[in-house]
């Protein structure tokens, strides 16, 4: 049963509220004394919220005064309120948020913001859903309170309002549209907030809004004001430079602190990353580039130069179409910035150039790829640790984009990476391992030459031996996870991921030559444990390693998986088809797990079990073709297309409705192998026997 006031107590509090409005000083002192006494009774605050929200027989000033007294009590004693009192107050606020009286609505808004400012948003899960529901109301009084919160000057309230608006953009954008211009104005103001924590919360709004289909329509009229605000916020402040040690140019000899050994690893994209060949929707105006001035003539304060390079990297994906005409001039300028005297400029330039690596790889190598590779490798050996980290990550991205285009330069690349073993401190060594693993993954069997293996393996083995003595050895770390969880600290998951990724790269590069190493180790036993790790990134790297070991030395993997996969095909295939056909797949999923990866898996299932997979062809063939049309020619794409060709041979009717998509996907090949080309011809050519009778 809901709390109800006692009549006598209610009359006493109403009398006290009347007296508190008296101008007499003695009366005011008496009221203050009585309020202090009443605060000793837990349900006093229940009476105050009751008067504010329920006692409509009283005039609005008296009800509002009751709410303001309660607000002061919340500010001073909220953590001491009994749980049932706190719950009653919150419930009454939500029930009365649309009160007909503007004064009462405003008072309730003040009370809500005060509760939120006490850190209660996390303990008030009903608040945001209730406000979302309120937005469905046609009563403006109900909608008004969310926007009332935005006017509060308390920092915590402003942060929580920004968080609330971000959540509403994601779940109830339709209800924000009538107010969207006011919201955008407010968020632009908050993005410039003097409190950095508020400004950061406000920046999340633009990220969420950018994911909405209506983004372009609602932002077009504001974009000329918004962009300068965002760009201004990208320039380092003096405090930032101090914290980042921006005045330190050479620090490679300074050992990393233990707290530093949590690197932002270059996260390898899944195999066969879906590339976008300059197909961004954004446009970039020519206004920023004066035809009479060369980019090399820029004479800027280094902090402004650094932020400008950051902006160029940030817009690379969404504005690629608009950027392409400027890249022939811009890329050489950026390459020259890799030699800038300021380490922070060199490091951000590494990242920005990595954002355009796909374009670089598609141009004449002598003009762009070779100069970029040469200068990036110089920065890999930079005397500044931050630059080393950025260069290593950028080079790993270049490796993924260039793939076998790097084969002519492998000797030079390996010489540089091996030399870096002797320069790097602990943190950057981990990133170096990842770069080597990515290189092996990208060039495949081309790394499998005695000269390259002899160059690469000794420093790797030497480093592993050192790590073994320092309790940071990767394999004992994995064994600790399996055998002795109670005797050692939990393993560092970053080390596990790097170890797994490096092993994947070595398996990809060494191919069957890794067989003896696998035979003489317990790697598969450890791998089984890693596949069950609670961290998704560990599991993802574990399954990737299993795939690479299966290709390199299946004789050692087969005893662990059994002889017959047919019973599992339908279960796996159903999940893969569901994922590949999901609409509005989040961009992070496309980048990190990839519809292309799922499409390749379906193709490989069709390669080994076409009879079982072919009946479901019509359920996935269109999205399958769309997912793989932008993948570069490589072995994974080859095996996937062979699989789908086998499926079409078994079930030609499954491709009829979407045959044009299959033809488009086939046309994405540059140089398919001859036998694969013949398979395409049998299906698409004039003499094709599979589809001709149906078509």
């Amino acid at each position: 049963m809901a709390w109800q006031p006692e009549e006598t107590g209610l009359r006493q509090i109403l009398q006290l509220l009347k007296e508190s409005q008296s101008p007499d000083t003695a009366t005011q002192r008496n009221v203050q004394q009585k309020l202090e006494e009443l605060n000793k009774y837990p349900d006093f605050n229940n009476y105050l919220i009751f008067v504010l929200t329920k006692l409509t027989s009283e005039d609005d000033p008296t009800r509002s005064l009751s709410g303001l007294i309660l607000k002061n009590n919340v500010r001073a004693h909220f953590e001491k309120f009994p749980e049932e009192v706190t719950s009653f107050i919150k419930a009454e606020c939500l029930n009365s948020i649309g009160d007909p009286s503007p004064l009462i609505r405003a008072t309730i808004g003040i009370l809500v913001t005060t509760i939120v400012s006490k850190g209660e948003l996390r303990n008030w899960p009903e608040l945001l859903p209730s406000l979302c529901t309120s937005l469905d109301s046609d009563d403006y009084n109900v909608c008004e309170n969310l926007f009332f919160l935005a006017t509060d000057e308390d920092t915590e309230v402003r942060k929580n309002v920004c968080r609330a608006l971000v959540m509403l953009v994601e779940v109830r954008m339709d209800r924000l549209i009538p107010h969207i211009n006011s919201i955008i104005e407010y968020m632009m103001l908050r993005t410039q907030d003097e409190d950095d924590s508020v400004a950061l919360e406000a920046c999340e709004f633009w990220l969420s809004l950018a994911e909405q289909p209506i983004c372009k329509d609602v932002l077009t009229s504001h974009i000329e004001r918004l962009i300068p605000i965002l760009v201004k916020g990208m320039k380092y402040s003096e405090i930032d430079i101090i914290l980042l040690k921006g005045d330190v140019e050479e620090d490679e000899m300074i050992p990393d602190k233990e707290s530093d050994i949590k690197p932002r690893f270059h996260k390898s994209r899944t195999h066969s990353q879906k590339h976008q060949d300059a197909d961004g929707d954004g446009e970039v105006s020519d206004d920023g580039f004066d035809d009479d001035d060369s980019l090399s003539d820029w004479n800027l304060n280094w902090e402004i130069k650094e932020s400008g390079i950051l902006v160029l990297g940030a817009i690379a994906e969404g504005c690629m179409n608009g950027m392409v005409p400027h890249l022939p001039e811009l890329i050489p300028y950026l390459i020259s910035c890799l030699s800038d005297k300021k380490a922070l400029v060199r490091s951000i330039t590494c990242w920005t150039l990595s954002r355009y690596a796909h374009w670089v790889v598609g141009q004449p190598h002598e003009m762009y790829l070779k100069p970029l590779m040469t200068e990036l490798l110089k920065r890999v050996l930079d005397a500044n640790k931050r630059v080393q980290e950025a260069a290593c990550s950028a080079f790993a991205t270049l490796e993924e984009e260039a793939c076998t285009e790097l084969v002519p330069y492998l000797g030079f690349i390996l010489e540089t990476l091996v030399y870096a073993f002797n320069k790097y401190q602990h943190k950057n060594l981990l990133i170096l391992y990842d770069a080597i693993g990515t290189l092996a993954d990208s060039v495949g069997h081309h790394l499998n030459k005695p000269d390259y293996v002899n160059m690469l393996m000794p420093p790797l083995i030497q480093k592993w031996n050192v790590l073994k003595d320092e309790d940071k050895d990767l394999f004992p770390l994995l064994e600790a996870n399996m055998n002795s969880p109670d005797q050692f600290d939990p393993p560092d998951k970053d080390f596990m991921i790097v170890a797994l990724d490096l092993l994947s790269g070595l398996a990809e590069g060494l191919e069957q030559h890794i067989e003896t190493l696998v035979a003489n180790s317990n790697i598969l036993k450890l791998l089984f444990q890693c596949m069950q790790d609670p961290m998704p990134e560990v599991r993802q790297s574990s399954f990737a390693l299993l795939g690479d070991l299966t290709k390199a030395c299946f004789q050692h993997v087969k005893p662990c998986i059994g002889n017959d996969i047919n019973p599992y095909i339908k279960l796996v295939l159903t999940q893969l088809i569901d994922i590949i056909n999901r609409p509005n797949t989040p961009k992070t999923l496309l980048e990190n797990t990839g519809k292309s990866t799922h499409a390749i898996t379906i193709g490989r299932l069709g390669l080994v079990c076409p009879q079982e997979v072919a009946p479901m062809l019509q359920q996935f063939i269109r999205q399958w073709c769309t997912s793989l049309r932008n993948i570069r020619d490589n072995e994974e794409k080859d095996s996937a297309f062979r699989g789908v060709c086998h499926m079409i041979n078994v079930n030609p009717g499954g491709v009829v409705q979407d045959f044009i998509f299959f033809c488009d996907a086939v046309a994405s090949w540059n140089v398919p192998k001859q036998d694969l080309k013949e398979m395409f011809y049998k299906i698409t050519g004039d003499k094709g026997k599979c589809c001709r009778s149906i078509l």
Side-chain angles (χ1 to χ4, degrees):
M1 182 177 177
W3 179 90
Q4 292 293 327
E6 293 182 359
E7 193 65 33
T8 303
L10 185 59
R11 283 199 302 269
Q12 290 177 351
I13 289 175
L14 285 173
Q15 181 61 33
L16 190 61
L17 291 171
K18 301 290 186 184
E19 291 175 359
S20 67
Q21 300 176 55
S22 169
D24 182 66
T25 304
T27 302
Q28 289 287 341
R29 279 200 299 267
N30 184 50
V31 168
Q32 187 62 37
Q33 183 178 353
K34 289 181 179 179
L35 286 174
E36 292 175 1
E37 293 175 359
L38 287 170
N39 271 320
K40 298 176 183 178
Y41 298 94
D43 65 347
F44 170 54
N45 294 297
N46 282 1
Y47 280 92
L48 293 175
I49 191 67
F50 183 87
V51 172
L52 172 64
T53 61
K54 289 286 197 288
L55 214 57
T56 55
S57 58
E58 294 297 319
D59 59 77
D60 289 352
T62 299
R63 293 171 61 196
S64 177
L65 179 59
S66 178
L68 294 175
I69 293 172
L70 175 58
K71 181 264 294 184
N72 291 334
N73 289 345
V74 167
R75 191 181 294 275
H77 313 295
F78 192 62
E79 63 277 0
K80 298 178 182 178
F81 284 15
E83 184 177 346
E84 61 273 15
V85 173
T86 298
S87 298
F88 183 69
I89 292 171
K90 291 177 178 177
E92 288 302 306
C93 285
L94 295 181
N95 291 337
S96 304
I97 207 163
D99 193 281
S101 167
L103 180 59
I104 301 304
R105 292 199 303 275
T107 306
I108 291 173
I110 291 171
L111 182 55
V112 169
T113 61
T114 305
I115 294 173
V116 169
S117 70
K118 298 296 287 186
E120 281 296 302
L121 183 62
R122 63 183 180 277
N123 296 324
W124 196 354
E126 304 86 3
L127 177 59
L128 289 178
S130 178
L131 292 175
C132 290
T133 302
S134 297
L135 289 174
D136 285 325
S137 173
D138 294 329
D139 183 356
Y140 179 77
N141 296 337
V142 178
C143 302
E144 180 188 53
N145 249 300
L146 175 61
F147 303 104
F148 175 84
L149 301 178
T151 64
D152 198 280
E153 290 304 313
D154 185 278
T155 297
E156 285 301 315
V157 173
R158 296 202 306 276
K159 282 201 294 186
N160 283 314
V161 168
C162 291
R163 289 173 188 159
L165 288 170
V166 169
M167 293 178 67
L168 290 173
V169 165
E170 294 171 351
V171 300
R172 291 313 309 263
M173 184 67 194
D174 58 316
R175 304 308 300 178
L176 293 184
I177 288 176
H179 314 280
I180 194 64
N181 287 323
S182 298
I183 293 172
I184 289 173
E185 292 289 341
Y186 174 75
M187 296 308 288
M188 284 197 291
L189 183 64
R190 293 283 72 86
T191 303
Q192 304 171 80
D193 199 285
E194 293 181 357
D195 189 293
D196 287 345
S197 63
V198 177
L200 285 172
E201 291 290 349
C203 287
E204 293 293 329
F205 173 83
W206 309 115
L207 290 173
S208 296
L209 184 59
E211 296 293 331
Q212 301 299 316
I214 202 171
C215 175
K216 183 176 180 180
D217 294 335
V218 300
L219 270 188
T220 298
S221 60
H222 303 275
I223 201 73
E224 290 188 3
R225 293 172 53 218
L226 174 60
I227 295 301
I229 292 171
L230 295 176
V231 171
K232 182 179 179 182
M234 297 170 84
K235 177 178 172 291
Y236 283 134
S237 67
E238 292 182 5
I239 298 293
D240 294 330
I241 295 171
I242 292 172
L243 292 176
L244 291 169
K245 300 178 181 178
D247 57 337
V248 177
E249 292 302 319
E250 297 186 6
D251 62 355
E252 65 177 346
M253 301 304 295
I254 302 174
D256 292 326
K257 298 178 182 177
E258 193 64 29
S259 58
D260 294 333
I261 315 299
K262 290 289 182 182
R264 294 193 309 262
F265 293 117
H266 163 78
K267 295 296 183 183
S268 250
R269 293 174 293 183
T270 52
H271 299 324
S272 300
Q273 169 67 22
K274 183 176 181 181
H275 297 294
Q276 297 184 8
D277 295 308
D279 60 351
D281 294 331
E283 295 289 338
V284 173
S285 162
D286 287 339
D287 295 343
F289 298 92
D290 190 336
D291 292 337
D292 296 329
D293 297 324
S294 169
L295 285 170
S296 61
D297 292 335
W298 284 11
N299 183 18
L300 302 173
N301 175 287
W302 79 264
E303 296 98 327
I304 297 176
K305 180 179 182 180
E306 192 276 345
S307 65
I309 294 172
L310 171 60
V311 171
L312 290 171
I315 66 172
E317 181 178 350
C319 301
M320 183 60 79
N321 274 347
M323 289 300 297
V324 165
H326 307 288
L327 292 181
E329 184 180 9
L330 181 61
I331 295 300
Y333 171 74
L334 290 173
I335 291 174
S336 73
C337 290
L338 289 172
S339 302
D340 193 276
K341 64 180 181 179
K342 300 299 293 186
L344 289 175
V345 174
R346 299 197 299 276
S347 64
I348 197 61
T349 303
C350 290
W351 176 76
T352 294
L353 279 165
S354 74
R355 304 276 284 174
Y356 295 99
H358 184 58
W359 181 88
V360 168
V361 170
Q363 307 305 309
H365 290 186
E366 290 295 324
M367 293 181 63
Y368 301 104
L369 177 61
K370 193 172 180 180
L372 174 58
M373 179 189 66
T374 302
E375 292 304 314
L376 267 183
L377 288 173
K378 288 180 182 178
R379 298 286 66 82
V380 166
L381 302 179
D382 200 277
N384 182 274
K385 291 192 289 187
R386 183 180 297 276
V387 179
Q388 292 173 358
E389 176 184 4
C392 234
S393 288
F395 196 77
T397 300
L398 185 63
E399 290 168 347
E400 288 180 321
E401 295 288 354
C403 295
T404 54
E405 304 284 353
L406 294 179
V407 170
Y409 316 108
L410 270 179
F412 177 50
I413 293 170
L414 287 173
E415 285 178 6
T416 304
L417 297 182
V418 168
Y419 188 79
F421 275 110
N422 298 316
K423 286 177 66 74
Y424 280 16
Q425 299 295 332
H426 201 172
K427 174 183 175 181
N428 285 349
L429 271 176
L430 297 173
I431 303 172
L432 180 61
Y433 296 154
D434 188 57
I436 292 171
T438 304
L439 178 65
D441 185 42
S442 298
V443 301
H445 66 88
H446 296 285
L447 192 61
N448 189 21
K449 291 184 178 180
D451 289 347
Y452 297 155
V453 174
N454 292 335
M455 189 186 306
L456 180 60
M457 294 309 295
L460 276 176
I461 293 172
Q462 188 271 331
K463 285 297 179 183
W464 283 343
N465 289 335
V466 171
L467 289 173
K468 186 179 293 182
D469 294 335
E470 295 180 0
D471 193 38
K472 291 290 186 179
D473 180 78
L474 304 180
F475 284 102
L477 194 60
L478 292 172
E479 291 174 339
N481 186 46
M482 179 183 71
N483 297 323
S484 307
D486 299 326
Q487 299 179 35
F488 301 97
D489 292 333
D492 187 314
K493 299 303 176 71
D494 285 337
F495 280 99
M496 294 175 67
I497 294 167
V498 170
L500 291 163
D501 288 348
L502 180 56
L503 287 168
S504 287
L506 290 173
E508 181 84 13
L510 295 176
E511 296 180 330
Q512 70 273 15
H513 296 286
I514 202 172
E515 184 272 331
T516 54
L517 298 175
V518 174
N520 296 320
S521 73
N522 61 342
I523 185 173
L524 290 168
K525 189 176 181 181
L526 298 173
L527 186 57
F528 178 70
Q529 297 296 320
C530 293
M531 290 174 184
Q532 302 171 72
D533 193 274
M535 179 179 283
E537 291 83 358
V538 174
R539 298 198 303 274
Q540 179 178 339
S541 293
S542 301
F543 286 112
L545 175 56
L546 175 63
D548 289 323
L549 290 176
T550 299
K551 290 187 291 183
C553 51
F554 184 63
Q555 66 270 34
H556 296 301
V557 176
K558 185 176 180 180
C560 302
I561 62 174
N563 296 320
D564 187 9
I565 68 168
N566 286 340
Y568 306 102
I569 287 179
K570 186 173 182 181
L571 176 64
V572 173
L573 190 60
T574 301
Q575 299 294 327
L576 291 171
I577 292 174
D578 175 67
I579 293 172
I580 202 174
N581 286 318
R582 282 179 191 167
N584 303 319
T585 304
K587 191 169 186 60
T588 52
L589 182 63
L590 286 174
E591 291 176 346
N592 297 331
T593 60
K595 283 190 177 181
S596 56
T597 304
H598 295 91
I600 288 169
T601 305
I602 292 173
R604 285 179 169 175
L605 285 174
L607 185 62
V608 296
C609 307
Q611 296 291 339
E612 288 78 7
V613 182
M616 305 179 76
L617 189 61
Q618 191 171 349
Q619 298 180 33
F620 62 79
I621 187 63
R622 175 180 295 194
Q623 187 57 54
W624 188 95
C625 295
T626 303
S627 298
L628 292 187
R629 68 179 304 277
N630 291 325
I631 300 298
R632 290 183 183 279
D633 295 5
N634 58 34
E635 293 299 323
E636 292 182 320
K637 183 174 180 178
D638 180 279
S639 63
F641 271 83
R642 290 176 188 272
V644 87
C645 287
H646 284 316
M647 287 184 272
I648 292 173
N649 286 333
V650 172
N651 178 23
V655 76
V656 171
Q657 284 188 324
D658 300 302
F659 191 66
I660 190 171
F661 289 90
F662 176 73
C663 295
D664 178 63
V666 168
S668 71
W669 278 89
N670 291 317
V671 188
K673 294 179 181 178
Q674 185 59 37
D675 60 333
L676 180 61
K677 186 187 296 185
E678 291 174 2
M679 295 173 74
F680 291 155
Y681 179 70
K682 288 179 181 179
I683 295 172
T684 63
D686 291 335
K687 297 181 181 179
K689 297 179 180 179
C690 292
C691 299
R692 185 176 58 184
S693 60
I694 300 175
L695 294 173

